Structure formats: structure tokens, C-alpha cells
Amino acid sequence: MGTAAVHLLLLLGLLHAGPGGEGRKGWRRRGPAVRERGEAAAAAPAESFPLDFTAVEGNMDSFMAQVKSLAQSLYPCSAQALPHDLRLHLLHNASVTCNDGSPAGYYLKESKGSRRWLLFLEGGWYCFNRENCDSRYDTMRRLMSSKEWPATRVGTGILSSQPEENPHWWNANMVFIPYCSSDVWSGASSKSEKNEYAFMGALIIQEVIKELVGKGLSTAKVLLLAGSSAGGTGVLLNVDRVAEQLEEMGYQGIQVRGLADSGWFLDNKQYRRTDCIDTITCAPTEAIRRGIRYWNGIVPERCKLQFKEGEEWNCFFGYKIYPTLRCPVFVVQWLFDEAQLTVDNVHLTGQPVQEGQWLYIQNLGRELRNTLKDVTASFAPACLSHEIITRNHWTDIQVKGTSLPRALHCWDRSLHESNKNGKAPLKGCPIHLIDSCPWPHCNPSCPTIRDQFTGQEMNVIQFLMHMGFDVQKMAQQQGLEPSKLLGMLSSGN
């Protein structure tokens, strides 16, 4: 037996000897399936289910580097040949298009040994009338046209093929669907003499599913529909429709799930009301009201039935559509989301914030936290940021000592072990993680903040001071010594 094989057995022994023992029976070798000669050749492919890393969580980076090295030495043909780039495929059905009539498409990286598929919906705001769509086309054309899309993309975060960056999904079949419909993935109208632009977000998803069935999706065990920002809202609007589409095509065995990142917006009152002139200044409720008519937007029937005719815009807001969903959905949302603050007209431009803004920001965190209290699977850090799951640093953020990849792994396991409603999380494997501290960046694992003007990194206290946080006043309100409050802020308590 080779040295590499001996090392692998020792590593697996470490896993087996770890505390608890949950999830051991569910282990499968990761990477493209390698069958033993003889009896296994005719067997049905096993689901490529993630390892249980409980025993090695304290030294995950080192462990994953060793696993990758060993996989490459034991199976050089499969591990080293694994393509890291996602390749562009334009849709065969040329009638399903981007805003400008160019063909929509998707980027694909196949993983032949895996029965897990991850489909990611890109984000990028929206436009809701001819004027601001024209402006968007002039300034952000790649979000409205496929004409200049590159032939390949490199996946990052949850789309990465590197186990160090993506510990539990690195070996899945990866699909990145570029956003070129400007309609929050809801539209169903084609370009015509009357319509200068097509809005076909919902139809693009359906067409991608049809094409992927012929590329291996038909044998999938799990399909995770993920998305960030407008793509996160798109997940909420489309996850049940994808499940229904696959059932109608005869693939009832595929478990469809959703992962909505930074798409859980509030229809709250703006800090300072402004006229609905463009995407940034328009209140989200009014923008979606106008947009859903302009796009011929469609929403899930179960949600639509909850509201009066003409009030379908309500289904674009997570806390209103979530109770109507049939598929399990994991919600990832910063408590102080930058896009939410932007549409609420709270602009953090480097000047100290006024007391009214500060109170508004704190209240926003409380409101968002309240809307998530009945969401079974959630991850909500008290940070000022936007989007996370495709960022390189997504493994660094923690809530109550648990990272986002770990929380998603726990959710995976709870669903895999027949708890299909996810309401009985495994011991020591939390899936409802919401920060309770009340200020932006009171969580010490939040992404680094830089001064807008100097570019220098700021710690939590420097950031709060920069925003006009009054330590003396806040300490007095909390009944604490200022030094004690500063210590709590530094440690994230």
C-alpha cells in the first residue's frame, strides 16, 4: 500500500474516532465516482454526500489541503483533470433572450461523479421603465445583453472547485446563470415592436433547466437553486416553480432546495422619502409595483392567492413569500444590508451619521431580525455588507461560533436524514443563526471595513466612531462604564 493511501486511512480514522459520530454512515468518497471492478460496475451511482468534518473542524484548512493533495496523488487522472472554469452555453431556444434580444445562457462545470447540482442566479438590481432601462443599458450592458460575455468564468465561494474555499460543495455540478433580464428573475415578456426590451427572467430559468436535463440533471439527487441580491429574491420567486417543472418532466426524485443570499428585503418606510426617479432613490415597494407591470412579472400561485389582484408585488419580499413556499429554503442575510440602506436613503458616505440615521440603522437590524425568527434555516450576521456566498472570504464569517459553510452542511445533513422540514436540527449542528448584538459590525468576524477616503482598514471601534457613535452616551444608556462598553464592542458581545 502506498504512503498516500496510508495517510488517507489515518485521516479517515481521525474522522471515525471523532466525538459524536453523527453522519458517519452517510460518508461517500468525494470527487468523480471511482467504481471497484466487478460487482460495483452495475450499481446505481451513490450520492456524492459531504464528509462530516466535526472531528477536524478546528484545523479545517490543513485537513482540506491534505485531502486535496491525497486525492490528486491517489486519483491523478480524475482529480487533476477536474476543470476549474465554468464554460458558457448560449440557450438553444433563441426565443428566450436577454433584455436586448441576444440569447440568454448559462455557465456550466460538470462533475460526472456527483449527483448534486448547484444553480446560481446572479444579482444586479433592476430597471422598471424605459428611461432607467435605457440608462442601465448604457452603463451596465452586460446585465442586459450576452454579446460581450466571456467564454469561461472561474467559480468563487460556493461555486469554487477548491475544497479549501468551498468545503462541502466543491465537487457539485456548478451552473452560473448570468442576470440579463433586469426583472428580479420574474419576467415573461418578449421583445417586440411595442416592447423595446424583453424581460424573460422566469423563462430563462425554465429553459436552462430543460437544457441541463440532457446534460445529467435528470439523474440528480439534489438541486440547490442559489442566488445573491436580486438573484436571492429570484430564488424565493422560482424555487417552487423549478420543483414543479421537474416533477412535470417526470423527475420527482430530485430534491429541490433554495439558498437566498442578500435577497430578503423589507418593504419598510424610507429614512428620508424621495420621489421615484430611478432605481436607487425609488422606494422598493413602488419600484416593484411599477416593475411587475413593465416586466409582465409572474409570482408563485400560492403567494399570489394571499393578496388582492394588483398586489402581487408583496411576493417580492421574503417574509411575505417564505410562509407559502413548499421547498426548503436557507436564508442568508446581513442584518445591516447595504442595498437595503441604499433604497432606504441612508447613505454612509464617510461623514459621521446623524443621530436619527443611527437610530434608523439600529431599528432596521431589529426589524430584519424579527422577520427571520420563524425561518427554520437562516444565517444573519450583524454586519454592514451585501452578498456573501460567492465571495472568497465566505468561510470566515461566523454567527455564534458557526461558519456559513458549516451551517449549510448541517442543513444538508438535517434534510438528508429525512427531516425534510428541517425542524429537528442535529445535535451540535445549528441551522438557525441570527446575531443578537445591536450595532453594525458588532460581530468580530464581519468583513473588513475600509475608510472610503484613505483606504485604510478600520476595526469595529474605529468604524463606529467614524459613523458618529457616541461611546459616552451609549454607555450611560446601557448603565456601563465606557471602557467596559469598548471592551464588549471589541469582542463582539
Side-chain angles (χ1 to χ4, degrees), residues 94 96-104 144-147 191 196-198:
V96 178
T97 72
C98 297
N99 290 131
D100 69 345
S102 59
M144 298 182 76
S145 173
S146 64
K147 290 176 183 176
K191 186 178 178 182
E196 178 69 20
Y197 296 108

Side-chain angles (χ1 to χ4, degrees), residues 3 76 86 104 161 179 208 218 228 333 356 368 376 390 397-398 409:
T3 305
L86 294 95
S161 299
Y179 184 40
V208 170
S218 57
S228 294
Q333 188 68 36
L368 210 141
T376 304
T390 57
I397 313 303
Q398 296 190 356
H409 175 53

